């Protein structure tokens, strides 16, 4: 079976990287990692505790919020960017066990001539509402404020980023080197409406938005709002789709704009419950962000992840694939394709996790198994659209 690259060529043609191989090499990231987020020595000097300092953000999802604002006049579209920015940090740290001592700082960079003060207010309200929701689920995050900068010379529209710190006992770390052949992979759905969400989720998360936006949205939007496009991207590649933001996606019940802005689902309340009840049996947790369904390859050692039983492809991803005629191998290496959290556990524990997820209104199922690899870690995706090895 031919090996596929985890790097999407469709994504690369738009000036972005799906697998971030160059960045990972630049920062010295290992091919086989032990923890999903990198623990640091405790700055307070406690040898029994680990510390995390994690940075991420909403990415180019902010451009979709900007387009919705310009098309409708409502600043409310910016609010969910705070959820995306917070969750992309929280769930990464949670996958390493870091769910205590949480402090969040945010950084908002805007072009003040295009982004009104009301948008900033909506984003700050979004952070507060998300923190309150998480507190109700047993997860305490202190919001320390942050920085809002008017940097129109640098930013075409808006950037919404956050930094999250966490401090936990070292014996609470989720160690991916515990993954062994014979484990199963439980996947947790990214779609539907879980108990702490106010509306159904399209499943898009905050990865692959550059590709999704450019293959779905029409060129006429760039003609109206040239600030939403990178001028270095040829017109034949950027904004080449058939849709306006108000077009409905078949089978989803959402417009294109609503589906792309669907807030990134946090699995942190579910992770907290899993770790409280089954910590010793959870060999790894993987947040399927950059790299999509190939992300898991970076965690554990000497293993082959065989994924054979996916959830049905959600309508948002089917429409992205159709609009862009994107090879299915790239779809699986960019997007979560229906589940954005994975747990590698002994087969005897799978039913317990699936049952626990159901109490949160999150569908879960066994999506694959772990086998031995004769060399570096591998991922094999056996999907209805083909079999791909990475």
């Amino acid at each position: 079976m031919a090996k596929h690259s985890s790097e999407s060529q469709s994504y690369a043609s738009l000036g972005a990287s799906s697998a971030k191989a160059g960045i990972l090499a630049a920062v010295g990231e290992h091919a086989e990692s032990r923890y999903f987020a990198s623990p640091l020595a405790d700055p307070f000097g406690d040898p029994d505790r680990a510390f995390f300092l994690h940075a991420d953000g909403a990415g180019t999802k902010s451009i979709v919020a900007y387009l919705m604002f310009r098309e409708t006049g409502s600043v409310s579209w910016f609010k969910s960017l705070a959820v995306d920015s917070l969750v992309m940090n929280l769930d990464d740290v949670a996958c390493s066990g870091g769910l205590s001592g949480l402090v969040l700082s945010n950084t908002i960079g805007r072009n003040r001539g295009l982004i009104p003060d009301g948008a900033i207010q909506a984003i700050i309200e979004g952070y507060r509402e998300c923190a309150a929701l998480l507190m109700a689920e047993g997860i305490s995050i202190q919001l320390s404020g942050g920085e809002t900068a008017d940097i129109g010379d640098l930013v075409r529209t808006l950037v919404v980023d956050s930094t999250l710190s966490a401090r936990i006992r070292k014996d609470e770390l989720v160690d991916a080197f515990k993954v062994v052949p014979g484990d199963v992979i439980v996947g947790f759905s990214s779609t539907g409406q879980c108990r702490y969400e106010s509306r159904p989720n399209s499943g898009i998360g905050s990865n692959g938005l550059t590709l999704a936006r450019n293959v779905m949205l029409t060129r006429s939007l760039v003609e109206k709002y040239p600030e939403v496009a990178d001028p270095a991207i040829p017109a034949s590649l950027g904004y080449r789709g058939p849709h306006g933001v108000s077009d409905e996606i078949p089978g989803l019940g959402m417009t294109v704009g609503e589906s792309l802005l669907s807030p990134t689902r946090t699995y942190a309340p579910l992770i907290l419950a899993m770790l409280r009840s089954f910590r010793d049996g959870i060999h790894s947790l993987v947040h399927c962000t950059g790299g999509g369904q190939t992300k898991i390859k970076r965690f554990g050692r000497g293993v082959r992840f065989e994924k054979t039983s996916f959830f049905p492809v959600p309508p948002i991803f089917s429409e992205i694939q159709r609009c862009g005629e994107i090879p299915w191998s790239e779809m699986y290496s960019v997007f979560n394709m229906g589940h954005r959290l994975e747990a590698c556990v002994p087969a005897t524990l799978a039913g317990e996790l699936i049952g626990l997820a159901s109490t949160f209104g999150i569908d879960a199922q066994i999506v694959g198994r772990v086998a031995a690899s004769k060399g570096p870690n591998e991922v094999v995706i056996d999907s209805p659209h083909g079999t791909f090895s990475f």
Side-chain angles (χ1 to χ4, degrees):
M1 184 190 307
K3 285 273 189 182
H4 290 79
S5 171
S6 298
E7 191 69 70
S8 164
Q9 295 307 304
S10 301
Y11 215 150
S13 69
L14 297 168
S17 170
S18 59
K20 301 182 181 179
I23 295 174
L24 293 173
V27 300
E29 188 77 20
H30 299 296
E32 297 179 344
S33 298
R34 187 167 190 171
Y35 306 108
F36 193 85
S38 300
L40 305 171
D42 179 44
F44 302 97
D46 188 336
D48 297 321
R49 289 191 175 268
F51 182 77
F52 294 94
L53 191 63
H54 192 281
D56 210 331
T60 64
K61 209 166 183 175
S62 59
I63 294 177
V64 182
Y66 174 76
L67 285 169
M68 294 293 279
F69 159 65
R70 293 300 301 267
E71 290 287 277
T72 67
S74 174
V75 296
S76 64
W77 297 107
F78 292 102
K79 181 179 285 190
S80 64
L81 298 176
V83 179
D84 299 309
S85 182
L86 190 157
V87 171
M88 291 297 286
N89 282 284
L90 175 62
D91 283 32
D92 277 10
V93 171
C95 284
S96 291
L99 282 168
S100 62
L102 298 167
V103 181
L104 185 95
S105 173
N106 68 77
T107 304
I108 304 171
R110 67 166 173 173
N111 186 319
R112 190 171 183 271
L114 297 174
I115 305 297
D117 292 345
I120 304 303
Q121 181 179 353
I123 293 167
I124 292 171
E125 288 175 356
Y127 277 116
R128 291 171 178 164
E129 290 178 8
C130 187
L133 180 151
L134 288 162
M135 175 65 79
E137 294 289 335
I139 297 170
S140 175
I141 300 179
Q142 295 187 64
L143 300 180
S144 67
E147 165 73 357
T148 299
D150 296 330
I151 47 176
D153 288 343
L154 295 173
V155 175
R156 298 174 66 83
T157 55
L158 177 72
V159 175
V160 181
D161 288 337
S162 302
T163 301
L164 179 73
S165 64
R167 185 170 180 255
I168 68 170
R169 297 201 317 265
K170 287 182 178 178
D171 61 4
E172 294 179 339
L173 289 168
V174 178
D175 183 354
F177 282 1
K178 292 171 62 178
V179 174
V180 293
D183 282 350
V184 298
I185 309 168
V186 178
F188 300 88
S189 175
S190 58
T191 63
Q193 183 175 345
C194 75
R195 77 179 190 196
Y196 45 81
E197 290 174 326
S198 60
R199 62 184 67 89
N201 203 306
S202 73
I204 188 69
S206 291
N207 290 98
L209 268 294
T210 296
L211 181 56
R213 178 169 41 85
N214 279 284
V215 302
M216 294 182 79
L217 296 180
T218 174
R219 192 73 193 170
S220 64
L221 289 169
V222 179
E223 295 167 0
K224 291 175 71 174
Y225 314 113
E227 60 271 17
V228 302
D230 180 349
I233 302 299
S236 60
L237 296 177
Y239 289 87
R240 63 184 190 267
H243 293 302
V245 291
S246 61
D247 292 352
E248 286 208 7
I249 293 181
L252 186 56
M254 299 181 193
T255 66
V256 171
E258 289 169 338
S259 67
L260 293 179
L261 279 178
S262 193
T264 305
R265 169 173 291 171
T266 178
Y267 295 92
L270 171 60
I271 291 173
L272 179 63
M274 289 195 295
L275 292 175
R276 280 176 172 171
S277 298
F278 309 110
R279 182 179 298 275
D280 290 344
I282 296 175
H283 294 169
S284 78
L285 292 168
V286 173
H287 189 205
C288 302
T289 51
Q293 286 298 320
T294 71
K295 181 88 170 187
I296 196 172
K297 184 175 72 169
R298 290 175 45 203
F299 303 99
R301 53 183 174 184
V303 287
R304 173 186 172 101
F305 300 100
E306 299 174 346
K307 299 184 179 183
T308 57
S309 302
F310 285 88
F311 288 89
V313 176
I316 179 66
F317 300 124
S318 295
E319 188 65 6
I320 292 169
Q321 194 279 330
R322 185 190 72 81
C323 290
E325 298 182 341
I326 300 168
W328 284 102
S329 61
E330 293 192 28
M331 290 296 297
Y332 283 95
S333 67
V334 172
F335 300 103
N336 69 72
M337 299 303 284
H339 71 270
R340 215 185 64 253
L341 177 68
E342 297 174 328
C344 290
V345 298
T348 54
L349 187 55
E352 298 275 10
L353 297 189
I354 292 169
L356 181 60
S358 71
T359 68
F360 287 84
I362 297 174
D363 290 337
Q365 66 186 42
I366 295 175
V367 298
R369 61 185 294 272
V370 180
S373 172
K374 296 180 180 179
N377 289 356
E378 304 172 87
V379 176
V380 175
I381 291 173
D382 186 2
S383 79
H385 305 286
T387 300
F388 315 110
S389 176
F390 299 89

Coordinates of all heavy atoms in Angstrom, one line a residue, residues 26 30 35 89 113 204 232 238 283 287 299-300 352 372-373 378 388:
A26 N 11.2 22.8 13.1 CA 11.8 24.0 13.6 C 11.9 24.1 15.1 O 12.9 24.6 15.7 CB 11.1 25.2 13.0
H30 N 9.3 15.9 18.5 CA 9.6 14.5 18.2 C 8.5 13.8 17.4 O 7.4 14.1 17.5 CB 9.9 13.7 19.5 CG 11.0 14.3 20.3 ND1 12.3 14.3 19.9 CD2 11.0 14.9 21.5 CE1 13.0 14.9 20.8 NE2 12.3 15.2 21.8
Y35 N 3.4 12.9 25.5 CA 2.3 13.7 26.0 C 1.7 14.5 24.9 O 2.4 15.0 24.1 CB 2.7 14.6 27.2 CG 3.4 13.8 28.3 CD1 4.8 14.0 28.5 CD2 2.7 12.9 29.1 CE1 5.4 13.3 29.5 CE2 3.3 12.2 30.1 CZ 4.7 12.4 30.3 OH 5.3 11.7 31.3
N89 N -7.1 25.5 23.1 CA -6.1 25.4 24.2 C -6.5 24.3 25.2 O -5.7 23.4 25.5 CB -5.9 26.7 24.9 CG -5.0 27.7 24.1 OD1 -3.8 27.6 24.0 ND2 -5.7 28.7 23.4
G113 N -10.1 49.9 11.6 CA -10.9 50.5 10.6 C -12.0 49.6 10.1 O -13.0 50.1 9.5
I204 N -17.1 21.1 12.5 CA -15.9 21.6 11.8 C -14.8 21.9 12.7 O -13.6 21.8 12.3 CB -16.3 22.9 11.0 CG1 -15.2 23.4 10.1 CG2 -16.7 24.0 11.9 CD1 -14.9 22.5 8.9
A232 N -1.6 37.2 -2.4 CA -0.6 36.3 -3.0 C -1.2 35.0 -3.6 O -0.5 34.3 -4.3 CB 0.5 36.0 -2.0
G238 N -8.1 30.7 -4.8 CA -8.8 31.3 -3.6 C -10.2 31.7 -3.9 O -10.5 32.2 -5.0
H283 N -4.9 5.1 28.1 CA -3.5 5.0 27.6 C -3.1 6.3 26.8 O -1.9 6.7 26.8 CB -3.2 3.8 26.8 CG -3.3 2.5 27.7 ND1 -3.3 1.2 27.1 CD2 -3.4 2.4 29.0 CE1 -3.4 0.4 28.1 NE2 -3.5 1.0 29.3
H287 N -6.6 14.8 20.6 CA -7.5 15.9 20.1 C -7.2 16.0 18.6 O -6.1 16.5 18.3 CB -7.2 17.2 20.9 CG -8.2 18.3 20.6 ND1 -7.8 19.6 20.8 CD2 -9.5 18.3 20.2 CE1 -8.9 20.4 20.5 NE2 -9.9 19.6 20.1
F299 N 1.7 10.1 18.6 CA 1.7 9.8 20.0 C 1.8 8.3 20.2 O 1.2 7.5 19.5 CB 0.4 10.4 20.6 CG 0.3 11.9 20.4 CD1 -0.4 12.4 19.3 CD2 1.1 12.8 21.1 CE1 -0.5 13.7 19.1 CE2 1.0 14.1 20.9 CZ 0.3 14.6 19.9
G300 N 2.6 8.0 21.2 CA 3.0 6.6 21.4 C 4.3 6.2 20.7 O 4.9 7.1 20.1
E352 N -17.4 1.1 28.7 CA -17.6 2.0 29.8 C -17.5 3.5 29.3 O -18.3 4.4 29.6 CB -16.6 1.8 30.9 CG -16.6 0.4 31.5 CD -17.6 0.4 32.6 OE1 -18.4 1.3 32.8 OE2 -17.6 -0.6 33.4
A372 N 1.1 -3.6 16.3 CA 2.6 -3.3 16.4 C 3.1 -2.7 15.1 O 2.6 -3.1 14.0 CB 3.3 -4.5 16.8
S373 N 4.0 -1.8 15.1 CA 4.7 -1.4 13.9 C 6.1 -1.8 13.9 O 6.8 -1.8 15.0 CB 4.6 0.2 13.9 OG 5.4 0.7 12.8
E378 N 2.6 4.4 12.5 CA 1.8 4.5 11.3 C 0.4 4.7 11.6 O -0.1 4.4 12.7 CB 2.0 3.2 10.5 CG 3.4 2.7 10.1 CD 3.3 1.3 9.5 OE1 3.2 1.3 8.3 OE2 3.5 0.4 10.3
F388 N -6.1 4.4 3.1 CA -4.9 5.3 3.0 C -4.0 5.0 4.1 O -4.4 4.9 5.3 CB -5.4 6.8 3.0 CG -6.6 7.1 2.2 CD1 -7.8 7.3 2.8 CD2 -6.5 7.0 0.8 CE1 -8.9 7.6 2.0 CE2 -7.6 7.3 0.0 CZ -8.8 7.6 0.6

